[in-house]
């Protein structure tokens, strides 16, 4: 789920902080994608608007998130973005990227793939969705293992 909180508590609030059960599920998903990590990255909450006097609506919030994500990607070696749920995809993927989604995957750039699976809440409420998520993640998990082995050889 995307964590965007509004300082003015307007409609930009998409999701509260994840429950312990959701964090455990997220941890399991991330470990399945990269068994060598074993640790969840620090949760970062994006505030909208980022400054108290700044104004803007949905378009500006999407642009802000796009810029924030692009900056994080440029400053890291990230190869996969895990998108949890269609509501999150609506905020972080362009309309073109959403229409290009194939088997839950879309190229965000030459070096980054976005992978969309059901939200944590959906997977907890409907455990059969975990299998669907695994089918989407599994090819990338296997290829990242091969890539890591090649780097260490």
């Amino acid at each position: 789920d995307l964590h965007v909180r509004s300082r003015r508590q307007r409609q930009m609030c998409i999701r509260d902080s994840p429950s312990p059960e959701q964090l455990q599920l997220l941890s399991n998903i991330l470990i399945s994608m990269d068994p060598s990590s074993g640790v969840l990255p620090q949760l970062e909450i994006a505030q909208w608007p980022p400054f108290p006097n700044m104004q803007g609506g949905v378009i500006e919030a999407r642009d802000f998130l796009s810029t924030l994500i692009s900056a994080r990607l440029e400053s890291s070696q990230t190869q996969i973005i895990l998108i949890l749920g269609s509501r999150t995809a609506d905020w972080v993927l362009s309309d073109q990227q959403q229409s290009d989604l194939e088997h839950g995957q879309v190229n965000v750039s030459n070096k980054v793939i976005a992978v969309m699976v059901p939200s944590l809440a959906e997977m907890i409420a409907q455990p059969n969705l975990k299998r669907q998520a695994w089918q989407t993640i599994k090819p990338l998990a296997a290829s990242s293992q091969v890539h890591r082995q090649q780097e260490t050889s």
Side-chain angles (χ1 to χ4, degrees):
D1 295 316
L2 179 66
H3 302 283
V4 179
R5 292 188 184 164
S6 172
R7 290 198 170 130
R8 295 187 189 107
Q9 295 304 316
R10 295 185 310 183
Q11 293 180 339
M12 298 299 166
C13 185
I14 297 173
R15 178 85 178 98
D16 292 328
S17 296
S19 70
E21 188 177 17
Q22 290 173 332
L23 283 174
Q24 183 60 55
L25 177 56
L26 179 58
S27 178
N28 293 344
I29 291 169
L30 294 176
I31 289 170
S32 74
M33 293 176 73
D34 182 5
S36 67
S37 71
V39 177
L40 279 177
Q42 183 175 344
L43 179 65
E44 182 178 344
I45 296 175
Q47 297 282 349
W48 179 257
F51 307 106
N53 344 352
M54 190 172 175
Q55 303 223 347
V58 172
I59 292 171
E60 290 82 7
R62 283 183 81 181
D63 288 346
F64 169 75
L65 286 173
S66 176
T67 301
L68 181 68
I69 291 168
S70 293
R72 297 297 184 270
L73 292 175
E74 287 177 21
S75 67
S76 71
Q77 295 181 343
T78 300
Q79 296 174 333
I80 300 171
I81 300 172
L82 180 62
I83 297 176
L84 300 164
S86 59
R87 288 181 61 200
T88 302
D90 289 342
W91 283 93
V92 298
L93 294 178
S94 69
D95 292 337
Q96 183 63 50
Q97 289 169 328
Q98 288 187 48
S99 67
D100 289 346
L101 270 169
E102 188 173 323
H103 305 291
Q105 300 177 21
V106 65
N107 287 329
V108 175
S109 71
N110 291 337
K111 64 178 188 167
V112 180
I113 295 174
V115 179
M116 190 177 94
V117 298
S119 72
L120 297 172
E122 291 170 326
M123 287 188 273
I124 289 170
Q126 301 172 50
N128 62 319
L129 292 177
K130 293 177 191 176
R131 182 177 317 211
Q132 175 189 333
W134 175 241
Q135 293 306 314
T136 302
I137 292 168
K138 189 164 84 172
L140 295 170
S143 71
S144 70
Q145 291 296 322
V146 169
H147 182 69
R148 260 192 306 285
Q149 288 174 356
Q150 290 174 347
E151 286 178 346
T152 59
S153 298

